[in-house]
Amino acid sequence: MIIDCHGHYTTVPQAHTDWRKAQLAGETAPAYPVISDDEIRESIEGSQLRLMRERGVDLTIFSPRASAMAHHEGTEETSRQWAAACNDLIYRVTQLFPSSFAGVCQLPQSPGVPIANSIGELRRCVEELGFVGCNLNPDPSGGHWNSAPLTDRSWYPFYEAMVELDVPAMVHVSAVTNPNFHATGSAYLNADTTAFMQFLQSDLFKDFPDLRMIIPHGGGAVPYHWGRFRGLADMLDRPPLAESVMRNVFFDTCVYHQPGINLLFEVIDLDNLMFGSEMVGAVRGIDPTTGHYFDDTRRYVEALGLSEDDRARVFEGNARRVYPRLGL
Amino acid sequence: MIIDCHGHYTTVPQAHTDWRKAQLAGETAPAYPVISDDEIRESIEGSQLRLMRERGVDLTIFSPRASAMAHHEGTEETSRQWAAACNDLIYRVTQLFPSSFAGVCQLPQSPGVPIANSIGELRRCVEELGFVGCNLNPDPSGGHWNSAPLTDRSWYPFYEAMVELDVPAMVHVSAVTNPNFHATGSAYLNADTTAFMQFLQSDLFKDFPDLRMIIPHGGGAVPYHWGRFRGLADMLDRPPLAESVMRNVFFDTCVYHQPGINLLFEVIDLDNLMFGSEMVGAVRGIDPTTGHYFDDTRRYVEALGLSEDDRARVFEGNARRVYPRLGL
């Protein structure tokens, strides 16, 4: 079985996107539109599910479109309404295609608002909708980085809820308003690297030994600079990364060329890697040097020639360990 | 001959550092202290030059300590005094050890101040002190990223001066005040990735075909995610990277483990790579897995088994092309 741990619903029915536009344009949000099961089926079958079948992916851990979370827009109430609408839509996908999708929720984060206010939606999604995890935005400002690091105690109430519910978080930023950054070209990768370094510097996982974080996009710059991070841990008198970070942090395989995947698997312990593609997502084209989609990351992983056991861990076992609510 | 394109003077005489402290503490800067040639010799011979000799490096392209530039501190006048003091000290090193060091200058950048105001110091350093390049800070705010992208026209007057003087810039941020970031652990790498994506999105090098930029630290996250960037160029209807960016952008080899260097040389054209170590710098310890210094990057490059011609390009030829003022 092949589980893709990183898929976003980027092909939502137009009415959902239109509602968001109206929500942001008006003083009060209009009523959420009626979207039929057929509309949802159509939006999934022709793209996400077709590509999953073509690539032999059985199950996608599926969350709302990351760039559209846009926690910086509007007020806390804006984000609360939008997160609920997005999560409800993901829930419907998981109900229509229960063997193909497991839900991961967007949080109603908002700049300056305590993360504790997101616990209710996390709990609703996990306990009532059967979701298996959440996406946690380390920078709800949209590229201005003016909230506290993920290791600050202000985040702890949320981590307590995650541990209680036994769900992991993928650290994932959203759209940016800062013109220095491009969402998928720099902001995402920077956030990945930033989060890892925050974890390296802190005792977060001593305080929460059962907390699990996924750093997407192959860990940002981290595996490529693995020597730098090992050296920094040493210079900063921190414990070795294997002890202080890598019991709790996992990278996906959203690295869109073979040399990157080769490095990832050479450097990072296999137990910390989970198959992911971020499909349909950031990079949708075909690589002219291979003739295949850039984000068809299964090809790169298969080309590694892993043993059957290792292959099963990367494609399925590690995900089941990190997301225990997937079941066995 | 082996040229290291990325060294900072991190072992300056104490009096220089003390002056900076006094400058920041007082309303007016005290007189700059007398520092003897012997003090400078001592600060260089026991560390930088000793390590260069041990590692077989002949010439270091040497600039003021990057993290100490701290352009966010004080006013424009603060930065003007500090940059001049730092550059004058580098000049003295180049005069005391003319065959071992070539100078690269710090700029008197300051948040909100036009970059055109840095042209005078660039010109002084190149024309009067014989420097061969400059370090350009894309975020003089210290981690808040509230100035315009490097591709904005507000930077163009400075680029015109660089082209006229025929000197390149290394894109290099400094210390951060934003607690989300660690200078050498995330801010530096993020800035590298950010700058590359800005270049990818723009026509900067169409406007300045002779402008040359070095992105340090092995290009941040870029080579590891080379497929992502090729795919983004395609998605954004930009020309291939080889045309739009890589005629003008160069990466150093400041990647502190063998797998990272292997990937860098597998993915990036050899003509875009220059040997660098950022020594004595970000990571000073010994890698327990190899028994050698993390930043002894020559070992990793030598282990590639390049042909004599390729080796000469990476260790010397490319640097002479990018920094023509080094002479032939």
Side-chain angles (χ1 to χ4, degrees), chain B residues 45-239:
Chain B
E45 278 176 341
S47 58
Q48 190 78 32
L49 200 56
R50 176 180 60 79
L51 288 165
M52 284 168 62
R53 284 178 182 145
E54 282 176 18
R55 301 181 188 183
V57 173
D58 300 292
L59 177 74
T60 292
I61 297 178
F62 206 47
S63 60
R65 183 174 202 160
S67 63
M69 296 190 298
H71 293 116
H72 59 276
E73 297 274 15
T75 63
E76 180 180 12
E77 176 61 15
T78 313
S79 279
R80 198 197 59 73
Q81 293 169 347
W82 177 231
C86 290
N87 293 332
D88 287 347
L89 203 60
I90 292 286
Y91 173 67
R92 290 182 65 189
V93 172
T94 66
Q95 294 303 296
L96 289 169
F97 304 96
S99 63
S100 300
F101 294 99
V104 154
C105 66
Q106 171 177 333
L107 298 169
Q109 294 177 253
S110 192
V113 172
I115 188 67
N117 295 18
S118 288
I119 294 174
E121 181 65 4
L122 175 71
R123 202 175 282 285
R124 179 181 84 91
C125 290
V126 173
E127 293 182 337
E128 296 175 27
L129 309 185
F131 283 22
V132 300
C134 62
N135 288 335
L136 186 65
N137 187 343
D139 173 29
S141 77
H144 302 281
W145 288 95
N146 46 21
S147 53
L150 286 176
T151 50
D152 186 84
R153 287 186 173 264
S154 57
W155 297 86
Y156 276 26
F158 190 79
Y159 299 152
E160 285 165 14
M162 281 173 59
V163 170
E164 181 208 323
L165 294 166
D166 206 9
V167 293
M170 180 175 279
V171 178
H172 207 308
V173 289
S174 184
V176 283
T177 60
N178 188 323
N180 282 285
F181 306 121
H182 181 276
T184 51
S186 54
Y188 284 14
L189 302 176
N190 292 351
D192 303 335
T193 309
T194 299
F196 185 87
M197 190 63 199
Q198 291 178 1
F199 297 149
L200 184 159
Q201 291 178 264
S202 86
D203 285 328
L204 176 62
F205 300 121
K206 202 180 270 184
D207 292 343
F208 291 98
D210 296 324
L211 189 65
R212 298 179 302 282
M213 296 282 196
I214 299 104
I215 299 187
H217 321 108
V222 173
Y224 174 49
H225 287 284
W226 195 238
R228 186 180 191 89
F229 288 96
R230 288 194 291 111
L232 283 169
D234 174 57
M235 261 181 87
L236 298 171
D237 282 328
R238 297 289 309 160

Side-chain angles (χ1 to χ4, degrees), chain A residues 15 55 58 64 67 77 87 98-99 107 169 183 192 223 266 284 292 306 315:
Chain A
R55 301 181 189 182
D58 301 293
S67 63
E77 177 60 16
N87 293 333
S99 63
L107 297 170
D192 303 334
E266 181 179 356
R284 303 185 185 207
H292 301 295
L306 299 174
F315 280 121

Side-chain angles (χ1 to χ4, degrees), chain B residues 1-7 52 55-62 99-102 104 132 252-254 273-279 297-298 301 311-328:
Chain B
M1 179 169 183
I2 294 187
I3 299 173
D4 184 335
C5 76
H6 191 176
M52 284 168 62
R55 301 181 188 183
V57 173
D58 300 292
L59 177 74
T60 292
I61 297 178
F62 206 47
S99 63
S100 300
F101 294 99
V104 154
V132 300
D252 70 18
T253 63
C254 297
L273 299 177
M274 291 191 293
F275 173 68
S277 71
E278 200 167 14
M279 179 263 292
T297 53
R298 183 178 166 191
V301 177
R311 202 179 156 282
R313 283 193 285 161
V314 171
F315 280 120
E316 180 181 0
N318 294 346
R320 292 196 185 280
R321 193 160 44 85
V322 174
Y323 298 87
R325 283 180 177 265
L326 283 174
L328 292 176

